[in-house]
Amino acid sequence: MEATAVSLTRTVLDGVLGSAGTAMADEAALLLGVRREVGFIRSELQMMQSFLRVQSSATRWGAGGGGCRDTVRTCVKQVRDLACDLEDCLLDFTLHASRSRWLRWGPGLVARHRLAGRIRGLKATVVELNQRNKRYNVFAAASHHGVTPGEEHHGHADDDYPRAQLAPGNERQDIERAGEMDELVRLVNKMGDAWVVSVWGMGGMGKSSLVRMLYNDMALIDGFDGRAWVTVPHPLESADEVERRLRKQLGVAPDRSVRAWLVENRCLVVVDDVSSHEEWELISRCLPANGPTGSRVVVTTRRDDVARQCAGDVRENVYELKPLEDEEARKLFCQKVYKDAGYKLMDDMMEQASRILERCRGLPLAIATIGGLLANRPKTSREWMDLRKHLGSELESDRDIKRVITSSYDGLPYHLKCCFLYLSIFPENHEIRLTRLLRRWIAEGYITKPRDMSVEELGRRYYNELISRSMIQPSEKARASMAVERCRVHGVVLQIILSQSIEENQLFIMDKHCNEAPQSNIRHLVVTRWKKNEKMASLNLSQVRSLTIFGRCPVSLISSKLHLLRVLDLEDTLELENDDLKHIGELHHLRYLGLRKTNISSLPSSLENLRFLETLDVQDTKVTQLPFGITKLEKLCHLVGGVNFAKDLAGKTKRNKETGKCNGDPFETFADLVTGCYGYKQVEPSCSCCACEFSVTAPERIEKLRNLQVLGVVHIARGSKVARNLGELTSLRRLGVEVDATEEVGKDLCGSISRLVRLERLEVRSRSLEFLKEAEKAEEMPPKHLLSLRLCGRLGNLPGWMDRLNDLAKVKLIQTQLKQVDIEVMGKLRNLTLLALWEESFAEKTLCFGEGTFPKLKLLYIEGMENIVTIQIKDGALPVLEKLEVKKCVNLDDSKEGLSLVLVLQNLNELVLTSCGDKPKLEKELQKQISGFKKRPKFITGRSIVSRS
C-alpha cells in the first residue's frame, strides 16, 4: 500500500500550501524576518506535490520494480513526516499572522523568535531531504519507473472522476443460496435441548446476509411469538447493552427479565458478530441455559471455536458457510458491475471475469468489492485484464483473499484514500453519521474547496463514491430516491486498513488492553474502553490533530498539551462533565467540537478563543445557553443544538411540560386555551423554561456569524431582535428555530426566512404556527427552492405559499392539526418523496390520498394519530410508493375500510402496521391484497413478516 503514503502526503501538502500562501501570512513572514525561508519552502512543496501526483498514479497501477517502489515509498514517507512538521509550524504561523500586532510586543517577541527559528530549521530539513534524494537517485528512479502513457491517461481521468455526480448503489449482497437456507431452517426447527445454532465463516462470506434471509422468512417467523436482532457492539463490556436491545425489540415489560421471557415465549433471536469467548459469556447471561424451550438463538461469528462454544459443543448445530459456487459468484459479480445479476457477458469479457473470480475464491465481499471497482471503469476486456494483472501474482498461490480488498483500496484515487483511511478511527459495527464524517473530513483539510460547489457537496460525492465502490456499506438499505445518511465499514475491510492507518496516518488507539506510549508521533488519538479515573501512560500530545472518545474520557486528557488539535469528538462520551472542558479555550486550532448526546450542560466562556472553529455540535445535550462571546467565532459554519426533530418530539415536550411547569403559572392553561380556540397565541406564560429545554437560546448579534451554513435548533424569545437579523445570514442552508410566537417575532422571522435564498431545510417549532400563514401576503416566504420542511405546532391549515415549493422533497409534521384539503395541496407537489405525518398532525377521522396525487412519493409515515379511523388510497394515487408505515393509530377500523386499496400500490416494497391494537380482520385483508403483487412486499405486523416472493 505505498499509495497510502503518497495520498496522505499529498493531502497534507494541499493544506500546507493553502496556509502558506495568504497575504496575511506574507505580512507575518516579513515581520518575523523569514520571508525568503517561507517562499523557499512554498516553492519546494509545490515541486514535491508534482512529484507525488505522478507517484500516486504509478503506485495505483503497480508501476515500477520492487526495489524502486521501496525507495520511493521511503521517500514519500519522509516527505509526509516533513510535511506534517511543516504544517504544525505553519498552523502556529497562521495563528500568529492573524494577530501580528501581538508579535511586536511583550510575550509576542519570544514567540516571534521561536517561530522564526522553527521555520529556518525546517528549511534546512527540506534542503537535507533534497540532497538525500539526489544521493540515492530517488527522483530519477521514480521518473524512469513511473507510469506508462496508458497508465498516465488512467490517472488523469480518475483525478477528474469525482466531479461527476455519484449516487449510492444498491448494496444488497443477498444471493440465492437455497441449499444453505434450507439447512439453516432445518437446524432452527429441530427440537432438542440444544437451542443455539451457530453460523461461522471468514469475514465477508455473507453470514449476516444469509441469516437475515432466515430472519425475514415468512414460513419460519409465523411459528414464533416474537423476534429480535442484536449486532454485538465492539467493545462489549457488559451484558446490559444486549439486554436493553432484546428488551426493546421483544417488548419485555420492565418488571420482567429477558431470560424468563424467552423461556415462557417462543422467540427467534439473532446475535450477529460474536468475536470472542468472553463476549459470549456476557451475552449468555441474558439467555436461558440450554434445555427444553421453544425459543431459538442464531449466532454468527468468524471463529470455529466460538461457534462451538455458542452451540454448547453440539457439533451438528454448528454450520460453516462455504464460498460461493461459480454460478452464484458470476451472478453477484454481474449484479455489482452491471446492476443486473442475469447479464450475459461476451466471450472475451467472460474469460477475464472468470479469471478475476478465480482469485476471489467465492468470497462475496471480495467479489462485491472488485465489482464495485469495475463498475466505475470502462467495461472492456483490456481494462479487466489490466486490473487482473495488477491484483498481484501472489493471489495465485495465497488463499488470503484479503489481498483482493487491498488491491481495491490501491485502486482508489488519492483523494479518497485518506478519507477512507480516516474511517479506521471508528470501531467495528459503529454506525457513522454522514454529517459527522463530512465535517470531520473538512476540519482535517481532506477536502479542498472546489470552484463550482461547496466543500460539503464535494464531500458527499466522495462519500457516495466510496459506497458505490463497496468500500463502505450503508447502514440501511439504500433507496434510489433517498440519501444514505449513515454508513459503516465492513469488519474485514476495517482490519485490513487499521494496520495501515496506524502506520501511515499515525493513528493510536488507547484502550484497557494497550496502555503503552507509542514510539512514533501521534496524529490521531482514539480512547476506548477506558475507566474515567484510570491512569494513562504518559503520551506526547503535542502533535495530536484529532481526539475521539468511545466510552469514558480519562481525567485531565483534554488539556493545553493538545495545542495543535483540530478535531475534538466526544459524541456519546459517558460521564462527561462540564469541568472536563475547562481547557477548551486553549485549543486555538480547534475546528470541530462534537459534544452530541453527552451530559454537558454549559460551555466555558473561553470558547470565544477558538477563532478557527467551524463546527459546534451540542445537539441532544443539556446545553440551553451559549457563551456570550460565541459571535466572535466568525469562521463558524455549523452551530447545532437542541433536541433532534423526531416522531417522539411531541411526547418529550408533553412529559417535560407535566414535570416542569413554571411554578404552576395559571396563565399556562389559559394560553393553551387561546391557542386551541383561535390558533394563535396571544398570552405567553411568564417563563419559557419549558420551551427552550429543547433548544439553545439564540445569541444576540448572531448576524456577525456570516459563514453559518447550519443553524438550529435555536430559541427566539419575545422581544429578541434575532428573528429580524437572521436574514443577514445569507449562507444558511439549514435553519431550525423554536419561537415564542408573538405577532412581531413571527413577522420578523418570516421576513428573514424570505431573504435566505440558499436555504434547503427549514424547521420551525412553536405552540402556534399561525404566523407562517401571514407571510403569504408578501408572496416571498420561504425560498422557492426549499428541499425539506419540518413543522411542529398548531397550524390548522397550510400557508398559501406551500403549493409553490415545487422542489420540496421531504415534509415532516407534528401537531399541525391539518385538514383533508391540506393533504390535497401536498399531493400536488411534484417532487415530494417523503411525507411523515406524526402525532396530531392531521385532525380528521378519514385520511384520503386521491387519484393522481403524490406522483413521486416513495416513503409515507403515519404515526400517533388516534383520531384516524380510515385511510383511503384511491386508484392512481401514490404510484411509486415503496414504503407505507402505519403505527400507533389505535382507532383504525378493523376491516378492509381501515386501510383500503393497498392493492393499487404496485411498487410497494414494505408495508408496516404495528402498535395499532388487535386488527386481525384488517391484517388478513391486507395480506390478501398484497398476495397478488408481482413483487410481493414485506408485511410487518409486529411478529410476522411476509417476504418478497
Side-chain angles (χ1 to χ4, degrees):
M1 284 192 184
E2 62 269 18
T4 309
V6 174
S7 300
L8 289 170
T9 307
R10 287 187 60 187
T11 301
V12 172
L13 292 184
D14 286 339
V16 171
L17 291 172
S19 299
T22 65
M24 189 184 299
D26 288 339
E27 180 185 349
L30 182 63
L31 182 61
L32 292 169
V34 290
R35 188 173 186 178
R36 293 184 61 184
E37 285 80 357
V38 171
F40 171 83
I41 290 173
R42 187 187 304 160
S43 299
E44 198 67 23
L45 286 175
Q46 288 172 342
M47 291 301 296
M48 289 180 182
Q49 195 175 47
S50 298
F51 161 69
L52 291 170
R53 179 178 293 275
V54 176
Q55 290 310 307
S56 180
S57 298
T59 54
R60 201 173 83 239
W61 290 99
C68 169
R69 290 166 66 179
D70 288 342
T71 305
V72 173
R73 180 177 174 83
T74 301
C75 170
V76 296
K77 275 188 165 185
Q78 291 174 351
V79 172
R80 180 205 65 204
D81 292 338
L82 175 58
C84 286
D85 292 338
L86 283 167
E87 189 173 29
D88 289 344
C89 181
L90 290 177
L91 281 171
D92 281 334
F93 174 64
T94 305
L95 178 65
H96 294 317
S98 65
R99 45 180 182 172
S100 56
R101 290 184 180 180
W102 180 79
L103 290 172
R104 302 176 188 271
W105 306 101
L109 293 174
V110 178
R112 169 180 170 178
H113 290 296
R114 184 172 63 248
L115 190 57
R118 285 174 64 190
I119 292 175
R120 292 190 180 98
L122 287 170
K123 176 187 176 181
T125 305
V126 172
V127 173
E128 290 174 7
L129 179 62
N130 281 340
Q131 291 175 347
R132 187 182 306 115
N133 290 335
K134 289 178 181 178
R135 189 159 58 247
Y136 293 101
N137 207 27
V138 172
F139 289 97
S143 176
H144 178 70
H145 293 281
V147 291
T148 65
E151 290 167 343
E152 185 177 3
H153 170 74
H154 285 304
H156 179 73
D158 208 65
D159 280 345
D160 292 335
Y161 181 71
R163 311 300 271 175
Q165 177 65 44
L166 294 163
N170 182 6
E171 289 305 307
R172 286 186 29 187
Q173 295 179 14
D174 295 352
I175 312 138
E176 296 208 5
R177 308 175 87 162
E180 291 95 329
M181 182 68 175
D182 290 343
E183 180 62 14
L184 271 186
V185 171
R186 185 188 69 79
L187 290 174
V188 170
N189 283 329
K190 185 181 64 173
M191 300 300 294
D193 290 344
W195 62 295
V196 178
V197 175
S198 297
V199 181
W200 77 279
M202 177 185 172
M205 192 65 73
K207 300 182 295 295
S208 298
S209 296
L210 178 62
V211 174
R212 177 67 71 177
M213 293 167 64
L214 178 86
Y215 186 72
N216 290 334
D217 182 73
M218 176 190 64
L220 180 71
I221 296 302
D222 278 346
F224 290 91
D225 300 319
R227 62 183 190 140
W229 180 293
V230 176
T231 299
V232 179
H234 301 298
L236 180 66
E237 296 184 337
S238 71
D240 294 345
E241 177 63 15
V242 174
E243 182 170 358
R244 184 188 66 80
R245 296 184 187 185
L246 288 174
R247 183 180 297 278
K248 180 178 180 181
Q249 294 185 48
L250 295 174
V252 182
D255 59 339
R256 301 289 306 280
S257 75
V258 172
R259 174 176 285 197
W261 182 272
L262 292 173
V263 171
E264 298 168 6
N265 297 273
R266 180 171 168 80
C267 301
L268 177 65
V269 175
V270 174
V271 182
D272 187 33
D273 196 19
V274 179
S275 63
S276 67
H277 296 282
E278 293 77 12
E279 284 187 353
W280 178 247
E281 288 174 0
L282 290 172
I283 294 168
S284 61
R285 296 174 187 174
C286 307
L287 308 173
N290 273 341
T293 175
S295 293
R296 291 291 182 267
V297 175
V298 180
V299 174
T300 69
T301 178
R302 300 177 193 173
R303 294 171 52 177
D304 182 26
D305 57 341
V306 173
R308 283 186 275 109
Q309 179 197 18
C310 296
D313 288 322
V314 180
R315 191 67 195 183
E316 63 182 5
N317 280 6
V318 177
Y319 186 79
E320 180 185 2
L321 192 57
K322 302 292 180 64
L324 296 178
E325 297 292 338
D326 292 345
E327 182 62 17
E328 291 177 329
R330 187 195 63 77
K331 288 181 179 179
L332 177 58
F333 179 78
C334 290
Q335 175 65 37
K336 299 305 294 185
V337 178
Y338 295 99
K339 313 302 180 189
D340 181 4
Y343 188 88
K344 301 296 183 183
L345 292 168
M346 302 296 291
D347 290 346
D348 59 334
M349 301 293 283
M350 177 65 82
E351 179 183 357
Q352 297 303 324
S354 298
R355 294 187 178 184
I356 290 172
L357 290 174
E358 283 177 8
R359 297 185 176 184
C360 292
R361 303 185 188 278
L363 184 67
L365 178 62
I367 297 170
T369 304
I370 292 297
L373 176 66
L374 291 176
N376 295 295
R377 297 199 173 279
K379 295 174 178 59
T380 65
S381 59
R382 177 58 184 268
E383 185 74 13
W384 288 14
M385 182 177 65
D386 286 344
L387 175 70
R388 179 177 58 82
K389 289 180 179 179
H390 293 133
L391 288 178
S393 59
E394 65 271 19
L395 287 177
E396 295 176 1
S397 58
D398 192 339
R399 286 191 172 187
D400 188 359
I401 207 67
K402 292 179 182 179
R403 295 177 184 270
V404 177
I405 300 171
T406 300
S407 297
S408 292
Y409 168 81
D410 285 339
L412 292 174
Y414 83 95
H415 58 271
L416 289 183
K417 286 194 178 78
C418 54
C419 293
F420 179 61
L421 275 186
Y422 198 69
L423 294 168
S424 61
I425 286 174
F426 298 93
E428 188 171 350
N429 290 328
H430 186 87
E431 286 196 349
I432 307 168
R433 194 177 65 258
L434 171 60
T435 53
R436 180 184 189 183
L437 182 61
L438 289 185
R439 291 164 190 172
R440 287 191 58 152
W441 278 348
I442 294 170
E444 296 281 5
Y446 289 168
I447 305 175
T448 305
K449 190 177 188 317
R451 296 178 181 177
D452 55 347
M453 69 182 76
S454 70
V455 179
E456 279 207 353
E457 287 174 329
L458 183 58
R460 282 179 178 268
R461 295 191 179 189
Y462 288 3
Y463 175 84
N464 288 336
E465 186 172 359
L466 287 172
I467 288 179
S468 70
R469 291 172 177 265
S470 298
M471 300 303 289
I472 59 177
Q473 299 174 320
S475 60
E476 298 177 358
K477 189 185 300 180
R479 297 181 182 274
S481 60
M482 311 304 293
V484 181
E485 298 296 336
R486 293 176 184 269
C487 73
R488 62 177 63 183
V489 184
H490 191 283
V492 175
V493 178
L494 181 62
Q495 293 305 314
I496 293 172
I497 68 173
L498 191 57
S499 60
Q500 289 296 323
S501 186
I502 290 173
E503 178 185 354
E504 307 288 3
N505 209 15
Q506 297 101 29
L507 170 67
F508 181 66
I509 300 177
M510 177 75 77
D511 63 21
K512 63 182 180 182
H513 300 302
C514 179
N515 191 18
E516 297 180 1
Q519 299 298 317
S520 58
N521 294 331
I522 304 174
R523 302 285 177 180
H524 302 283
L525 177 61
V526 176
V527 179
T528 182
R529 293 191 289 188
W530 205 262
K531 294 181 180 178
K532 190 172 181 67
N533 295 315
E534 189 172 351
K535 185 177 181 181
M536 292 185 66
S538 179
L539 299 176
N540 179 9
L541 304 176
S542 61
Q543 294 180 308
V544 173
R545 305 285 185 84
S546 75
L547 171 61
T548 309
I549 307 292
F550 296 102
R552 293 168 178 81
C553 180
V555 175
S556 303
L557 177 60
I558 304 171
S559 68
S560 58
K561 295 178 181 178
L562 296 163
H563 70 275
L564 288 175
L565 197 69
R566 288 184 171 193
V567 172
L568 178 57
D569 194 343
L570 304 175
E571 184 168 328
D572 289 312
T573 298
L574 303 175
E575 300 175 13
L576 192 67
E577 301 173 359
N578 295 338
D579 193 55
D580 291 323
L581 303 180
K582 61 186 177 183
H583 294 292
I584 201 78
E586 300 174 52
L587 310 180
H588 296 286
H589 296 292
L590 201 63
R591 287 158 168 74
Y592 179 99
L593 177 56
L595 301 171
R596 183 179 294 213
K597 294 183 180 179
T598 65
N599 287 326
I600 293 296
S601 60
S602 67
L603 299 172
S605 59
S606 61
L607 193 76
E608 67 180 47
N609 298 332
L610 307 181
R611 301 303 176 91
F612 293 101
L613 193 66
E614 298 169 350
T615 296
L616 175 60
D617 189 345
V618 292
Q619 189 172 83
D620 292 324
T621 67
K622 298 177 182 178
V623 174
T624 59
Q625 297 285 338
L626 297 171
F628 180 77
I630 191 75
T631 54
K632 295 181 180 179
L633 308 182
E634 296 181 359
K635 292 186 179 294
L636 199 61
C637 297
H638 312 102
L639 177 53
V640 187
V643 174
N644 188 32
F645 191 100
K647 53 191 174 185
D648 61 344
L649 178 62
K652 291 180 179 179
T653 306
K654 283 183 178 179
R655 288 192 296 271
N656 182 75
K657 190 174 178 182
E658 291 170 358
T659 59
K661 289 280 187 179
C662 307
N663 298 320
D665 187 348
F667 289 106
E668 186 84 16
T669 304
F670 181 63
D672 288 342
L673 178 63
V674 173
T675 304
C677 294
Y678 300 101
Y680 200 89
K681 184 167 180 282
Q682 301 292 345
V683 181
E684 296 290 337
S686 60
C687 170
S688 60
C689 67
C690 298
C692 41
E693 183 81 13
F694 302 101
S695 58
V696 293
T697 301
E700 298 295 335
R701 306 295 303 278
I702 196 172
E703 66 275 7
K704 294 176 66 177
L705 302 177
R706 296 301 181 95
N707 287 312
L708 271 182
Q709 299 176 29
V710 178
L711 174 63
V713 174
V714 293
H715 180 78
I716 302 177
R718 291 168 293 168
S720 171
K721 297 180 180 179
V722 170
R724 183 185 309 163
N725 296 333
L726 279 175
E728 299 185 33
L729 302 177
T730 53
S731 296
L732 274 181
R733 293 182 294 103
R734 294 186 179 185
L735 173 64
V737 294
E738 184 179 70
V739 188
D740 284 347
T742 63
E743 182 177 359
E744 182 181 1
V745 170
K747 183 178 180 180
D748 288 342
L749 179 61
C750 291
S752 290
I753 292 174
S754 68
R755 292 152 58 192
L756 303 178
V757 294
R758 298 181 183 178
L759 200 64
E760 298 174 358
R761 188 174 86 183
L762 173 63
E763 176 179 336
V764 185
R765 308 176 188 178
S766 180
R767 294 184 179 179
S768 170
L769 297 174
E770 281 286 322
F771 63 89
L772 294 178
K773 294 187 285 191
E774 300 298 324
E776 62 186 275
K777 300 175 182 178
E779 295 186 354
E780 56 180 6
M781 186 280 177
K784 62 180 181 179
H785 297 300
L786 200 67
L787 301 177
S788 175
L789 180 64
R790 301 175 173 187
L791 301 177
C792 178
R794 291 182 177 89
L795 185 60
N797 56 278
L798 289 173
W801 42 258
M802 188 73 178
D803 59 359
R804 299 198 297 268
L805 303 180
N806 288 316
D807 291 340
L808 201 60
K810 298 181 182 181
V811 174
K812 297 181 180 180
L813 305 173
I814 298 176
Q815 295 183 326
T816 50
Q817 296 287 310
L818 298 182
K819 310 290 191 306
Q820 178 59 39
V821 65
D822 302 304
I823 302 299
E824 295 169 4
V825 170
M826 290 189 287
K828 296 177 182 178
L829 297 175
R830 55 176 180 260
N831 288 304
L832 192 65
T833 57
L834 182 151
L835 175 61
L837 300 173
W838 289 331
E839 190 168 341
E840 299 178 32
S841 58
F842 184 74
E844 299 182 359
K845 292 184 177 181
T846 298
L847 175 61
C848 180
F849 299 92
E851 180 181 357
T853 57
F854 298 97
K856 290 190 177 180
L857 197 71
K858 298 200 173 186
L859 305 175
L860 175 58
Y861 301 97
I862 304 170
E863 181 166 345
M865 310 259 247
E866 297 182 0
N867 56 293
I868 288 184
V869 176
T870 59
I871 300 174
Q872 299 177 0
I873 301 173
K874 302 295 185 180
D875 192 11
L878 307 165
V880 297
L881 192 70
E882 295 178 1
K883 181 175 181 178
L884 172 58
E885 185 175 289
V886 181
K887 292 184 176 181
K888 298 181 181 178
C889 297
V890 294
N891 290 315
L892 202 63
D893 192 26
D894 184 25
S895 69
K896 64 179 181 180
E897 304 300 329
L899 181 54
S900 62
L901 278 185
V902 170
L903 57 88
V904 305
L905 307 177
Q906 289 297 312
N907 285 291
L908 199 65
N909 292 324
E910 185 173 325
L911 174 61
V912 180
L913 180 68
T914 60
S915 303
C916 293
D918 194 21
K919 301 284 187 284
K921 296 179 182 178
L922 177 58
E923 290 178 12
K924 184 177 180 180
E925 174 64 27
L926 292 176
Q927 287 186 7
K928 179 181 176 181
Q929 290 189 37
I930 65 175
S931 63
F933 281 37
K934 186 176 181 181
K935 285 187 176 181
R936 194 174 184 180
K938 287 193 299 185
F939 180 31
I940 302 175
T941 60
R943 68 184 180 95
S944 62
I945 291 185
V946 178
S947 299
R948 294 187 186 90
S949 57

